[in-house]
Amino acid sequence: MEKPITMIMEDTKDAIISTINNSKLPAFILENIIKDIYMEINQMAIQQAKLDKEKYEEAMSKEKKN
């Protein structure tokens, strides 16, 4: 059985928090790092949403033709 997504999310969150705490960097530097990471993830999410929409519309188009 695969690990449930909720457990994967919690593990990921814990790993990120641990890395942040172990970095010993001040909050003003962490803020910029986290902001940059967020922006990259946000762009990836937007691209994934576009790809999912394109795949869905393509599948619906093929379905209508049949």
Side-chain angles (χ1 to χ4, degrees), residues 51-64:
L51 181 62
D52 291 347
K53 182 179 178 182
E54 289 171 5
K55 286 182 178 180
Y56 174 76
E57 289 174 347
E58 184 179 318
M60 294 303 292
S61 177
K62 286 181 181 178
E63 204 172 281
K64 285 182 182 179

Side-chain angles (χ1 to χ4, degrees), residues 34-47:
I34 292 169
K35 180 177 66 173
D36 291 346
I37 292 169
Y38 170 79
M39 291 174 69
E40 288 179 31
I41 291 171
N42 182 256
Q43 285 301 312
M44 290 169 40
I46 290 169
Q47 289 174 350

Side-chain angles (χ1 to χ4, degrees), residues 12-35:
T12 302
K13 182 179 172 182
D14 290 344
I16 291 168
I17 290 169
S18 177
T19 300
I20 288 168
N21 289 336
N22 291 332
S23 76
K24 309 274 193 250
L25 292 170
F28 74 93
I29 292 176
L30 289 169
E31 181 181 36
N32 287 323
I33 292 170
I34 292 169
K35 180 177 66 173

